[in-house]
Amino acid sequence: MNRYSINEFVNKTQQQDKGEGLFELETPRLLEINLNGKIWAKAGSMISYRGQIKFKREGVFEHGLGRMMKKALSGEGTALMKAEGNGKLYIADQGKKISILHLNNDSIFINGNDLLAFETELNWDIKMMKKISGMIAGGLFNVKLDGTGMAAITTHYDPLTLIVTPESPVYTDPNATVAWSGDLQPEFITDVSFKTLIGRGSGESIQMKFSGSGFVIVQPVEEVYFTQS
């Protein structure tokens, strides 16, 4: 059991400036954003801030009719908010571990539920998983980010990155798949024999197959997604 005096606890847990720039991990599960402008973040992720910061939920027509229709059809479980101003913003998502990715003219697909925040300089678009929609609890969609800037993703516990080569494709459980490199296009496979063996339609009977050259990020938890209004 950890026991502290009040002063010891404050000294151990107080916020510290590490001078790491816009995105800074205050703890492995808490992201500090040194805001001087605006960023996109997962709606409801703010836990604290100081300074002059305003929050605005993503507008229905803010990104055009096409993207609005994609959001409606995908049944996505995540909405975005825009944080704008000057100050320190602290965000988190259910105690999940946070990783900061630096994109340098790169492209990456991220499960919409695992995207915590990203710079507005990055281009983004919603990509629906048409062939798997409705087959997994809560549905499944992802966000494609490309360009140069920072993004923060979340995982339950430590993520694992698997390298995909033309000689060695990678198969994953969709509910445990967090992100993959932009050059990869997953193929969905239904394992009928395994489905029959276990006697029910579980997530394991549906697999994502990644072929080509790139990487896939997975987490050691099969996450169930819930749609938010």
Side-chain angles (χ1 to χ4, degrees):
M1 180 180 294
N2 294 327
R3 297 181 179 178
Y4 307 96
S5 69
I6 293 297
N7 287 338
E8 288 172 341
F9 183 81
V10 170
N11 289 334
K12 183 177 178 62
T13 61
Q14 69 177 323
Q15 179 267 333
Q16 299 179 359
D17 288 319
K18 301 176 183 178
E20 296 177 351
L22 177 63
F23 284 8
E24 182 177 301
L25 283 181
E26 189 65 31
T27 74
R29 293 169 174 80
L30 200 158
L31 179 68
E32 176 185 277
I33 301 175
N34 296 296
L35 191 62
N36 184 17
K38 56 187 176 182
I39 57 97
W40 285 109
K42 187 173 184 178
S45 61
M46 187 275 289
I47 61 170
S48 181
Y49 72 92
R50 67 172 73 205
Q52 302 299 316
I53 300 176
K54 293 183 178 181
F55 302 92
K56 182 180 179 182
R57 193 178 179 93
E58 179 188 10
V60 173
F61 295 102
E62 187 160 356
H63 307 288
L65 183 61
R67 195 173 296 174
M68 182 199 73
M69 292 301 295
K70 288 181 184 180
K71 289 168 67 79
L73 292 171
S74 67
E76 69 170 273
T78 297
L80 295 174
M81 67 178 180
K82 185 184 293 182
E84 187 169 7
N86 190 297
K88 289 185 178 294
L89 170 63
Y90 300 93
I91 63 174
D93 186 15
Q94 299 181 16
K96 294 164 68 177
K97 189 164 187 177
I98 300 170
S99 298
I100 299 173
L101 306 179
H102 294 259
L103 278 69
N104 184 15
N105 199 26
D106 295 314
S107 176
I108 188 172
F109 290 92
I110 303 171
N111 186 309
N113 198 56
D114 301 319
L115 179 58
L116 180 63
F118 60 95
E119 290 190 77
T120 56
E121 286 78 7
L122 289 171
N123 299 314
W124 67 280
D125 196 10
I126 293 172
K127 301 293 182 180
M128 292 181 292
M129 299 294 200
K130 294 180 181 178
K131 294 183 179 179
I132 204 169
S133 179
M135 301 174 72
I136 295 179
L140 189 67
F141 79 105
N142 57 75
V143 177
K144 183 181 182 182
L145 298 179
D146 62 73
T148 298
M150 286 191 290
I153 64 172
T154 59
T155 56
H156 290 280
Y157 308 104
D158 293 331
L160 173 68
T161 299
L162 304 169
I163 303 302
V164 182
T165 66
E167 300 78 21
S168 181
V170 170
Y171 298 83
T172 66
D173 183 325
N175 291 95
T177 306
V178 175
W180 59 91
S181 50
D183 292 335
L184 297 180
Q185 293 293 332
E187 175 186 356
F188 294 99
I189 299 173
T190 302
D191 191 333
V192 178
S193 60
F194 189 57
K195 182 178 180 180
T196 303
L197 176 66
I198 61 178
R200 61 187 177 90
S202 74
E204 286 82 3
S205 67
I206 306 167
Q207 302 163 1
M208 298 175 77
K209 178 183 178 181
F210 294 90
S211 303
S213 299
F215 63 86
V216 182
I217 303 171
V218 294
Q219 62 182 354
V221 169
E222 296 179 39
E223 194 165 12
V224 178
Y225 311 112
F226 298 95
T227 302
Q228 296 176 353
S229 58

